Amino acid sequence: METDEADRVLPFQLQFDKPIASQVKIAEWNPEKDLLAMVTEDSKILLHRFNWQRLWTISPGRSIKSLCWRPDGKVIAVGLEDGTVLLHDVENGKLLRSLNSHAVAVVSLNWVEDCQLITDKNENLSTYEDRTSRIFPPAPTVPRMPGLVSGDTGFIDDSEDSFTELSNSSQQRFNILCSGDRDGSICFSIFGIFPIGKINIHKLHIPLQDAGASCHLLNAEIYKVALSKDLCRLIVMCSGELVRPGHDPRNRKITVQGVHGMHSLVLDTSIFRKRKSELHQVAQQASNIGELTEVIRASLSVMNKQWSDAMHTFQEKFHSLSTLIVNHGLDSSPQEEFLSILGGARTSPPVHQFLVNSLGEVGAKRVSKAVSGAGSELQLIILDHLQPAAEIIGFRMGELLGISRWRARFQDVGLDEKLMHNATEKVGTLLVQVERFMRVLSTVLQQFSNFFNWLIRCIKLLMSEPSDQLLPYSSELVVIFLKFLYNQDPVKKLLEASENDNNIEIDSELVERVRELALFGGFSDCEFLRRTLCLEFQQMESSFKEAFLMPFSTISKKILCEDMLSLFSFLSSSSCPSSCVPLSVSYYEDSCEPVPADLSCQQKFIDYISFKVPDDSFADNANCVGIIRGFIHDQSGSNKDYSSFEAVLISIPVGFQCVDLSLYKDGQTVLLLNETISTSECSVGSCMMVVEPDDLPFVSMPRSHCLDNWKVLQLKDYVVPLQMENEKVRNIPHPVVRPLAVSASRGVACVFAARKRALVYILEEDEDEASDAE
């Protein structure tokens, strides 16, 4: 394909050159497998193998702004324009969970797994055992709504394996999903499903050089969030204007030169490392409780729908009797007419017409079957879904209540004993309500069955047909049905979600007995029997939210800004880059850093930040790429003197423009450059190259926290020209566009040409990769 370079060995082997139907705007390699996830301009998610075999395509129906993989490569997280984060199963693309932690577009996602296993004092592997599986059968799944297509619920698809895999966090290493939105909010979710913290960079106190001084960011916009592999630090790449406290934006000039620009913030997230064992236990229980709460919610919804449909069938059929009675000029009700028949009186003309002509034996059996069928379905849903879910929730809440009493360990993560006790009690009252509902439902079904047995016998007698083989009935139960159930629906009342006119009437003596039981360890809430089943569920869910909000708030308060680096300023509003500004943040194991003997089981990491500097921000040396390393490197180490870090500014040669960049292995930076001037008779092309950190003259930079101290300006005398004769340069005969997708684990890069083509290159010679491609 590139015959002009056939005489020499090319540094990167071209593996594939494939056409694509739509231009790609996001691309990320799976960290464990040879899979590439891509998002097209029309917001479709494509999953391809390394050999370009497409596995599946899905479309969320909304604009996609970000994407990342779970560290084990089994789940994809997708950030949408409306603030939703979707979790999809890699095996089949099915939706596992929809998270609503943000109100605006989620522009950055980062999912990090703890690099170190939890060990005890004797350095033995310590894992948290979930005892639920030893006591209970497998957790129930969401019941299906009749006639509902799989996936329409928006919660989880019909794959039980997917449900189990997502909620079984005890089998995973501790991991955290970070999501940043356009308004500056950053959310943290353990295992991607349990929200454990949220901060807004506008409200952070950013330390300055002056003792005790701080500043704030105005009009901040997040570009990238990157959590360190030890979970102790979070780098936030963002733009905004630094102002001191008390600053009034109404009194400032429209443009404040040298203050508004690109910044790198370092947030202290060491609480995740210090309390990861406690957080793992809380997240394990809480995430499963959340899954089971959805099972109960869906069960109640299905039960309400099925029973309402059955009652609609009954009422629709028997409503015609009231009309016939009025048309015949009678001043009586259907119940009175039926009671007259039951007492032996002659059947009135409207009732005779209804039973023989309108309803008939077939109609009566059909309505009876609809009611009894719906009742049986409700009983099955309770026995197979709702009740087991509530019982497991009760056990898990009991586990949380137990560990909440270990204040020395769990008070720091916000586990409150009083709130856990209240939530546990609410689960108990729900189980009591479930038992009462089952008794009420059973009684109502018995009453309906008895009524229709009698009604069918009446129809047989009116039609002079034999009635010897009919089922028996009880006259007393027929009277009770006509007085209390013909125009009333106690089952529906228990399933009502509204608080209006649906309080259950209970005997005052029963209330007094419940209050007496409270003195002997019973439920402190003595009014729970007056509530419906649906209202009890709402109160239980509210208690859960209150209980889990405490850890969320506690952890959020412990995430603070500890450092700030101002990179470059925006001299004009037009120079402010879009959200697709080329930048990359990564962490690498630092083998050069000595590790203390008492911390020999831990790893040391060094951070790298690479970025393209806007031309307007650096007029003296346009078209530059900056690389910073060691910004947070020493902050968690034994060396407390972290007054400096290292940086270098690389000048791109005339005739080339940086399109995108990505950090690769051990600080290597992959650059994707477009030709701006044709260097031959051929059309304008591009090139890809790898820049080695050892080949760069990094300069030690002092740390100074000032509002107008831009690091790029301090490097103007140390700009290094990029050596294009570097042997690791590959010419590409097409202009290219963002994004550049690089896989450090696979040693491959995917480049997208402007003419809707995808080119996959092997960055390193490796026999295994070549065989995998075949």
Side-chain angles (χ1 to χ4, degrees):
M1 180 177 173
E2 300 176 0
T3 57
D4 57 330
E5 299 181 356
D7 295 336
R8 66 181 178 89
V9 178
L10 298 178
F12 309 131
Q13 177 187 352
L14 176 63
Q15 194 71 16
F16 297 107
D17 184 352
K18 300 288 186 179
I20 51 179
S22 180
Q23 197 62 58
V24 172
K25 63 179 182 180
I26 304 172
E28 293 286 345
W29 288 98
N30 187 302
E32 296 292 334
K33 303 176 183 178
D34 59 340
L35 301 175
L36 178 65
M38 295 173 287
V39 178
T40 60
E41 290 290 349
D42 53 355
S43 287
K44 291 181 180 179
I45 307 173
L46 316 177
L47 186 67
H48 282 241
R49 289 194 182 277
F50 177 69
N51 60 8
W52 214 248
Q53 173 193 1
R54 183 179 298 185
L55 298 182
W56 47 257
T57 302
I58 56 175
S59 178
R62 289 160 286 178
S63 178
I64 300 175
K65 296 298 181 182
S66 54
L67 178 145
C68 77
W69 292 85
R70 197 169 74 180
D72 63 3
K74 295 181 179 180
V75 177
I76 294 177
V78 180
L80 304 183
E81 173 70 30
D82 63 0
T84 305
V85 176
L86 305 179
L87 304 183
H88 287 275
D89 190 346
V90 173
E91 290 296 325
N92 45 36
K94 289 182 178 179
L95 177 66
L96 299 176
R97 179 64 73 90
S98 177
L99 309 173
N100 300 296
S101 302
H102 299 271
V104 295
V106 180
V107 295
S108 180
L109 290 168
N110 180 232
W111 208 332
V112 178
E113 182 178 76
D114 182 26
C115 62
Q116 298 165 14
L117 295 175
I118 302 175
T119 56
D120 58 21
K121 295 181 179 179
N122 298 322
E123 297 188 3
N124 296 319
L125 183 62
S126 176
T127 58
Y128 168 61
E129 180 189 7
D130 185 5
R131 302 187 301 167
T132 311
S133 59
R134 298 193 318 186
I135 302 173
F136 293 90
T141 57
V142 175
R144 290 292 160 202
M145 184 78 75
L148 186 66
V149 178
S150 173
D152 286 352
T153 60
F155 171 64
I156 191 169
D157 276 304
D158 56 357
S159 171
E160 187 172 346
D161 293 337
S162 298
F163 181 95
T164 304
E165 194 280 330
L166 186 64
S167 61
N168 193 12
S169 51
S170 62
Q171 303 301 320
Q172 303 176 34
R173 278 192 175 189
F174 187 73
N175 62 74
I176 295 179
L177 173 63
C178 306
S179 54
D181 67 31
R182 186 174 292 158
D183 282 352
S185 293
I186 303 174
C187 296
F188 304 88
S189 301
I190 300 178
F191 306 119
I193 55 177
F194 177 62
I196 195 58
K198 183 175 183 179
I199 58 101
N200 192 295
I201 59 176
H202 297 93
K203 300 178 181 179
L204 290 175
H205 292 273
I206 303 172
L208 292 176
Q209 193 171 17
D210 302 335
S214 64
C215 61
H216 297 284
L217 266 177
L218 289 181
N219 304 317
E221 181 177 353
I222 291 176
Y223 293 89
K224 193 173 189 64
V225 294
L227 187 64
S228 61
K229 295 181 180 180
D230 60 3
L231 309 181
C232 288
R233 301 292 185 274
L234 178 76
I235 290 182
V236 182
M237 304 297 294
C238 59
S239 64
E241 179 181 357
L242 289 173
V243 296
R244 291 183 180 274
H247 172 81
D248 186 357
R250 295 172 297 179
N251 296 333
R252 66 177 178 88
K253 297 179 180 179
I254 298 178
T255 302
V256 182
Q257 183 172 340
V259 177
H260 186 266
M262 180 67 73
H263 310 276
S264 177
L265 305 181
V266 176
L267 306 187
D268 180 3
T269 57
S270 57
I271 184 66
F272 296 138
R273 152 85 33 200
K274 296 173 183 176
R275 295 296 183 184
K276 68 176 180 180
S277 178
E278 292 84 352
L279 291 173
H280 190 156
Q281 295 182 53
V282 174
Q284 165 68 23
Q285 299 291 1
S287 59
N288 279 275
I289 288 171
E291 304 279 1
L292 294 168
T293 301
E294 293 299 328
V295 172
I296 297 178
R297 186 196 315 282
S299 298
L300 291 173
S301 177
V302 174
M303 289 164 58
N304 194 16
K305 174 71 166 56
Q306 291 195 331
W307 186 255
S308 296
D309 289 346
M311 288 297 97
H312 176 74
T313 302
F314 172 79
Q315 294 165 2
E316 185 180 41
K317 205 68 179 177
F318 280 78
H319 178 71
S320 60
L321 174 58
S322 301
T323 305
L324 288 173
I325 293 174
V326 173
N327 291 340
H328 281 77
L330 299 180
D331 187 17
S332 60
S333 66
Q335 296 97 307
E336 293 172 342
E337 293 291 334
F338 283 134
L339 287 174
S340 297
I341 299 175
L342 185 65
R346 182 183 180 89
T347 305
S348 64
V351 175
H352 187 282
Q353 181 180 346
F354 170 74
L355 294 178
V356 175
N357 301 328
S358 301
L359 184 63
E361 181 183 357
V362 175
K365 290 182 176 179
R366 184 180 297 116
V367 176
S368 177
K369 183 178 180 180
V371 175
S372 63
S376 298
E377 285 296 321
L378 262 63
Q379 290 173 333
L380 285 176
I381 290 173
I382 289 176
L383 294 176
D384 295 343
H385 299 275
L386 194 154
Q387 191 169 19
E391 290 172 349
I392 298 176
I393 288 176
F395 178 81
R396 292 189 177 279
M397 288 303 308
E399 294 278 88
L400 287 174
L401 176 59
I403 63 176
S404 69
R405 292 168 177 165
W406 194 352
R407 295 184 180 88
R409 287 188 58 187
F410 289 91
Q411 196 168 30
D412 277 354
V413 298
L415 209 59
D416 185 88
E417 180 183 353
K418 183 178 179 180
L419 294 177
M420 289 299 160
H421 183 275
N422 179 58
T424 305
E425 180 175 297
K426 293 301 180 184
V427 183
T429 56
L430 178 70
L431 284 169
V432 173
Q433 294 279 24
V434 170
E435 291 290 342
R436 179 173 70 173
F437 180 84
M438 287 290 283
R439 292 198 300 270
V440 171
L441 177 62
S442 178
T443 301
V444 169
L445 291 178
Q446 182 185 7
Q447 294 279 7
F448 265 100
S449 176
N450 183 80
F451 172 72
F452 277 104
N453 288 342
W454 170 75
L455 202 63
I456 292 173
R457 183 180 292 271
C458 292
I459 294 173
K460 285 280 191 180
L461 293 175
L462 290 174
M463 298 180 67
S464 302
E465 295 181 359
S467 58
D468 298 338
Q469 304 299 322
L470 296 179
L471 296 173
Y473 70 91
S474 169
S475 298
E476 293 180 0
L477 294 181
V478 173
V479 174
I480 293 174
F481 177 86
L482 293 173
K483 285 188 174 182
F484 300 106
L485 293 179
Y486 187 86
N487 280 335
Q488 300 179 42
D489 189 353
V491 174
K492 182 181 179 181
K493 189 172 186 179
L494 290 174
L495 293 175
E496 285 288 339
S498 173
E499 296 187 7
N500 297 327
D501 301 328
N502 63 346
N503 285 335
I504 307 300
E505 296 182 3
I506 58 175
D507 187 77
S508 58
E509 183 179 348
L510 179 59
V511 175
E512 188 62 30
R513 288 174 58 190
V514 171
R515 289 174 178 170
E516 291 176 357
L517 288 174
L519 300 177
F520 296 94
F523 299 130
S524 59
D525 181 6
C526 301
E527 298 297 320
F528 71 94
L529 289 177
R530 298 186 185 276
R531 295 191 290 269
T532 67
L533 176 62
C534 219
L535 279 177
E536 198 64 52
F537 168 72
Q538 291 178 354
Q539 290 220 355
M540 183 192 76
E541 189 178 25
S542 177
S543 70
F544 291 173
K545 291 180 180 178
E546 184 180 11
F548 295 135
L549 181 63
M550 185 64 71
F552 181 89
S553 303
T554 302
I555 299 299
S556 299
K557 293 176 182 177
K558 293 179 181 292
I559 300 175
L560 306 173
C561 181
E562 67 177 16
D563 210 347
M564 179 268 296
L565 185 66
S566 296
L567 300 177
F568 49 82
S569 64
F570 301 144
L571 300 184
S572 64
S573 58
S574 61
S575 67
C576 182
S578 64
S579 59
C580 61
V581 57
L583 59 86
S584 183
V585 181
S586 192
Y587 303 85
Y588 304 99
E589 185 177 352
D590 186 10
S591 58
C592 299
E593 177 71 15
V595 181
D598 58 337
L599 298 176
S600 57
C601 61
Q602 299 185 9
Q603 294 171 292
K604 292 289 185 176
F605 295 94
I606 183 170
D607 55 286
Y608 274 76
I609 304 173
S610 60
F611 53 92
K612 182 183 181 299
V613 183
D615 293 344
D616 290 349
S617 299
F618 201 29
D620 295 338
N621 295 85
N623 199 16
C624 288
V625 169
I627 303 176
I628 293 174
R629 69 181 181 188
F631 179 35
I632 65 173
H633 173 51
D634 289 331
Q635 294 186 17
S636 59
S638 58
N639 180 13
K640 298 301 182 181
D641 181 16
Y642 53 92
S643 59
S644 64
F645 58 91
E646 293 183 314
V648 66
L649 204 59
I650 305 172
S651 176
I652 307 298
V654 177
F656 290 90
Q657 186 71 29
C658 180
V659 177
D660 203 357
L661 52 82
S662 177
L663 286 163
Y664 181 41
K665 290 182 178 179
D666 301 323
Q668 295 174 322
T669 302
V670 181
L671 298 178
L672 191 60
L673 308 176
N674 260 343
E675 293 181 2
T676 57
I677 302 174
S678 179
T679 57
S680 64
E681 296 179 357
C682 301
S683 59
V684 174
S686 58
C687 69
M688 180 174 60
M689 66 180 300
V690 175
V691 179
E692 298 283 349
D694 295 338
D695 298 335
L696 299 175
F698 280 88
V699 178
S700 180
M701 300 287 294
R703 296 175 182 269
S704 57
H705 306 155
C706 301
L707 294 182
D708 58 352
N709 194 355
W710 303 103
K711 300 305 176 185
V712 168
L713 294 179
Q714 298 178 28
L715 289 169
K716 62 181 179 179
D717 296 328
Y718 304 97
V719 177
V720 179
L722 182 66
Q723 301 298 324
M724 294 298 293
E725 60 272 14
N726 187 319
E727 62 178 9
K728 290 189 176 182
V729 178
R730 174 63 183 254
N731 292 328
I732 303 173
H734 312 285
V736 293
V737 294
R738 284 175 55 89
L740 168 64
V742 177
S743 170
S745 61
R746 303 292 300 180
V748 296
C750 185
V751 177
F752 297 93
R755 298 179 180 178
K756 293 185 179 180
R757 301 195 69 85
L759 298 87
V760 177
Y761 290 92
I762 305 293
L763 296 181
E764 296 180 4
E765 295 295 334
D766 191 297
E767 294 180 0
D768 293 337
E769 290 171 351
S771 61
D772 288 344
E774 294 175 3

